[in-house]
């Protein structure tokens, strides 16, 4: 690449030696940790490792047990609900905010700073703040009740059937700023002439957005979608901080299942099987995207 | 075209510049229905984003009796800094009652070396990928980028084993290695793209002058790349400070970072819940990334945009 094609050295390995030495950390990370570690986990998910990993194969037993465990099923259900609404709301809120910000408004920087600051905070901080705001004894519920609406009930963190939405509220607070920023960057990348043309043709603004701008921003949407989606599968700290999976097991998520089985229940096999399922989930999201994104043109 | 217009005087000139469309400064009434709607929606959204911060601050400044009586949105009647002092120096996690300060210093001891090491390694990787590509380099890089999408849970246990084998499991060094590993995909991508965008002639000229791999890196690339190093620093400082999972998995309790300790303080089951202390502790933990965010401004946005556009 760097004009060394004519280097007549016999030993291929010594060519570009410094570069290779400098890349050792990257090669080790890629091959040993990312590739090796992943294969290792998948491999050991077919064993009945308990406290320590050991090689006694039990076929798909761990997976059968996994898919029979109420806690895992709950985790998957939660992930599905949380994931679905999180995707929809992130995209809609993020896009609407970005569209509003794109109207040549004043104080744009102030608004951007406000919308994005939660993203700088950790999920632990986010979870704890919203735990407090949603506290039924002191938080939103009690405030509304003290205003006179005494039967008002809003206690997502203490109600098994809606607890996942309580987590969703916190997650949206933390993450929509990022989506807004990505969308805004996308909107700014759209040629001004498109707007002029649509104005000349007398197309209403909402129609322009819906039928012209959004289809043009396909790439931005897909990238954002992938980012949000791979974040959703990982959701862990937020749940730990906000509800610790409770009440009962109502807000368990897969990542927490993995951690608990690996490091607390000392049932490694289950943990490996569950993390392999997470891997498959991510693969389902990533592979079609990678195929669409890079499959068409050959990469050199 | 402009020349002929300019003959007719300034006013006509500016008028003709206004004509094509909304690009110029067409005076708009401040309180048009359109504006009211836009600003109304934005202010409403801003309130939603600011509310939790406000509640945190207000709660942390109240005494417990006032919290039990009033609502969480009311400003404190009597401002007290006692919760802050307590959160910092005497809040309990289990048997330890030396407050959040321990976690803070642990986080400092984790974040600084992790940031330095991960950026040093990733920048050299990026440099090698951009300017000294060897056979197979792209393959490793692809694995690295694909690996960025793999859930951490899949790779955690193998890393535990490796660290245990080399005797670093539970130590700060081990955690620093883990942060370096997981920071590598995004940082390498960041640096690779940046170094590739630098003019190639620069590199070639240095080669002709006889400069080698390291000389070019330290004498030419490094001094030219300060902005991207700042972006990488912002990305890493906030990311590592906010980490919870690695801290809990790879360190012993005496090295727990601030986020882990905060969670243990607030979600501990024993004792009376002191919401004001909890909120003070939460603000203290969020303070570092928030300060980084407010100080860095646009660079932060650039960092996350770079972090976002993968591949």
């Amino acid at each position: 690449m760097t004009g060394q094609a004519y280097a007549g050295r016999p030993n291929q390995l010594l060519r570009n030696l410094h570069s290779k030495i400098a890349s050792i950390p990257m090669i080790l990370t890629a091959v040993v940790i990312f590739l090796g570690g992943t294969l290792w986990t998948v491999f050991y998910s077919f064993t009945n490792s308990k406290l320590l990993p050991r090689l006694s194969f039990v076929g798909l037993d761990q997976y059968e047990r996994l898919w029979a465990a109420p806690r895992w099923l709950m985790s998957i259900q939660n992930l599905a609900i949380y994931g679905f609404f999180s995707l929809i709301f992130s995209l809609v809120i993020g896009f609407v905010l970005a569209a509003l910000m794109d109207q040549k408004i004043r104080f744009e920087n102030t608004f951007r700073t406000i919308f994005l600051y939660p993203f700088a905070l950790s999920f632990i901080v986010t979870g704890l703040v919203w735990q407090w705001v949603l506290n039924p004894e002191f938080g939103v519920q009690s405030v509304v009740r003290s205003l006179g609406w005494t039967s008002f009930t809003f206690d997502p963190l203490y109600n098994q059937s809606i607890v996942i939405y309580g987590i969703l509220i916190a997650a949206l607070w933390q993450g929509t700023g990022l989506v807004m920023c990505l969308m805004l960057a996308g909107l700014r990348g759209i040629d001004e002439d498109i707007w002029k043309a649509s104005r000349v043709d007398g197309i209403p603004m909402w129609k322009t957005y819906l039928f012209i701008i959004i289809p043009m921003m396909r790439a931005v949407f897909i990238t954002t979608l992938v980012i949000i989606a791979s974040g959703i599968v990982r959701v862990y700290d937020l749940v730990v901080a906000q509800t610790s999976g409770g009440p009962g097991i109502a807000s368990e998520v897969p990542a927490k299942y993995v951690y608990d089985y690996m490091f607390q229940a000392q049932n490694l096999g289950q943990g490996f099987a569950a993390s392999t399922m997470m891997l498959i989930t991510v693969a389902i999201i990533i592979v079609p995207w990678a195929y669409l994104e890079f499959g068409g043109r050959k990469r050199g | 075209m402009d020349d002929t217009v300019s003959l007719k005087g300034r006013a006509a000139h500016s008028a003709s510049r206004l004509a094509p469309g909304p690009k110029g400064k067409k005076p708009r009434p401040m309180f048009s229905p359109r504006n009211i709607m836009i600003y109304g929606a934005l202010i409403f959204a801003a309130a939603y984003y600011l509310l939790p911060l406000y509640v945190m601050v207000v709660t942390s400044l109240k005494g417990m009796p006032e919290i039990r009586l009033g609502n969480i949105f009311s400003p404190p009647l009597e401002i007290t800094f006692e919760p802050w002092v307590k959160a910092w120096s005497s809040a309990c996690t289990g048997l330890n009652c030396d407050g959040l300060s321990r976690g803070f210093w642990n986080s400092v001891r984790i974040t600084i070396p992790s940031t330095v090491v991960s950026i040093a390694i990733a920048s050299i990787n990026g440099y090698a990928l951009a300017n000294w590509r060897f056979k197979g380099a792209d393959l490793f890089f692809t694995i690295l980028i694909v690996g960025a999408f793999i859930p951490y849970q899949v790779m955690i246990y193998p890393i535990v084993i490796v660290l245990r084998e080399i005797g670093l499991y539970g130590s700060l060094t081990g955690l620093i290695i883990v942060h370096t590993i997981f920071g590598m995909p995004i940082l390498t991508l960041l640096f690779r793209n940046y170094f590739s965008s630098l003019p190639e002639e620069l590199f070639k000229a240095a080669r002709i002058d006889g400069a080698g791999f390291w000389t070019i890196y330290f004498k030419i690339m490094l001094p030219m790349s300060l902005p991207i190093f700042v972006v990488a620093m912002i990305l890493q400082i906030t990311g590592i400070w906010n980490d919870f999972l690695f801290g809990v998995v790879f360190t012993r309790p005496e090295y727990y970072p601030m986020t882990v300790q905060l969670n243990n303080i607030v979600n501990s089951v024993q004792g009376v819940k002191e919401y004001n202390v909890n909120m003070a502790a939460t603000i203290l933990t969020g303070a570092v990334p928030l300060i980084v965010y407010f100080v860095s401004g646009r660079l932060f946005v650039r960092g996350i945009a770079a972090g976002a556009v993968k591949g």
Side-chain angles (χ1 to χ4, degrees), chain A residues 137-138 142 146, chain B residues 62-72 74 77:
Chain A
E137 236 179 297
F138 304 102
S142 96
S146 70
Chain B
K62 289 178 191 169
M64 267 319 279
E66 199 188 324
I67 290 177
R68 286 200 198 90
L69 286 177
N71 78 42
I72 57 168
S74 63
L77 299 171

Side-chain angles (χ1 to χ4, degrees), chain A residues 104 190-193 195-196 199, chain B residues 14 16-28:
Chain A
K104 300 192 173 69
I190 287 194
D191 198 339
E192 193 79 12
D193 291 344
W195 279 110
K196 283 181 193 161
R199 215 168 283 133
Chain B
S14 59
S16 85
R17 285 226 320 245
L18 281 177
K23 198 157 191 177
K25 284 197 178 65
K26 191 163 128 196
R28 277 209 190 107

Side-chain angles (χ1 to χ4, degrees), chain A residues 43-157:
Chain A
F43 187 70
Y44 272 84
S45 72
F46 300 109
T47 69
N48 69 346
S49 309
K50 288 284 182 206
L51 178 60
L52 288 170
R54 55 185 184 139
L55 280 170
S56 56
F57 289 96
V58 290
L60 291 173
D61 266 18
Q62 295 289 4
Y63 292 92
E64 274 167 31
R65 216 171 300 155
L66 185 68
W67 285 99
R71 185 175 154 190
W72 174 256
L73 295 175
M74 184 52 113
S75 303
I76 290 292
Q77 187 196 323
N78 278 340
L79 189 68
I81 297 174
Y82 170 83
F84 178 76
F85 287 107
S86 184
L87 271 181
I88 305 276
F89 282 115
S90 297
L91 288 178
V92 171
I93 296 173
F95 184 79
V96 169
L97 285 181
L100 289 171
M101 297 272 286
D102 201 31
Q103 305 303 315
K104 300 192 173 69
I105 57 159
R106 287 177 207 198
F107 312 115
E108 187 190 313
N109 279 331
T110 314
F111 280 118
R112 197 216 315 265
T113 307
I114 292 172
F115 295 152
L116 194 58
Y117 87 89
F119 188 72
L121 294 171
S122 67
F123 277 124
I124 298 292
V125 169
T126 308
L128 295 177
V129 176
W130 281 94
Q131 188 190 56
W132 174 236
V133 173
L134 297 177
N135 185 320
E137 236 179 297
F138 304 102
V140 175
Q141 173 176 296
S142 96
V143 171
V144 175
R145 279 187 186 174
S146 70
L147 291 176
W149 184 1
T150 48
S151 63
F152 177 78
T153 315
F154 186 65
D155 56 346
L157 302 188

Side-chain angles (χ1 to χ4, degrees), chain A residues 120-227:
Chain A
L121 294 171
S122 67
F123 277 124
I124 298 292
V125 169
T126 308
L128 295 177
V129 176
W130 281 94
Q131 188 190 56
W132 174 236
V133 173
L134 297 177
N135 185 320
E137 236 179 297
F138 304 102
V140 175
Q141 173 176 296
S142 96
V143 171
V144 175
R145 279 187 186 174
S146 70
L147 291 176
W149 184 1
T150 48
S151 63
F152 177 78
T153 315
F154 186 65
D155 56 346
L157 302 188
Y158 291 81
N159 184 338
Q160 298 214 347
S161 51
I162 56 169
V163 62
I164 198 68
Y165 300 99
I167 291 171
L168 184 69
I169 293 174
L172 288 175
W173 178 76
Q174 205 259 359
T176 36
L178 170 70
V179 181
M180 185 273 294
C181 260
L182 297 174
M183 295 286 172
L184 190 57
L187 283 174
R188 292 278 149 86
I190 287 194
D191 198 339
E192 193 79 12
D193 291 344
I194 302 282
W195 279 110
K196 283 181 193 161
S198 87
R199 215 168 283 133
V200 169
D201 287 346
I203 304 169
M205 186 179 262
W206 65 271
K207 261 191 175 170
T208 315
Y209 270 117
L210 214 56
F211 296 112
I212 301 171
I213 303 295
I214 290 181
M216 282 180 76
M217 280 171 60
R218 187 184 144 273
V220 177
F221 268 93
I222 290 174
T223 312
T224 314
L225 206 77
V226 170
I227 293 165

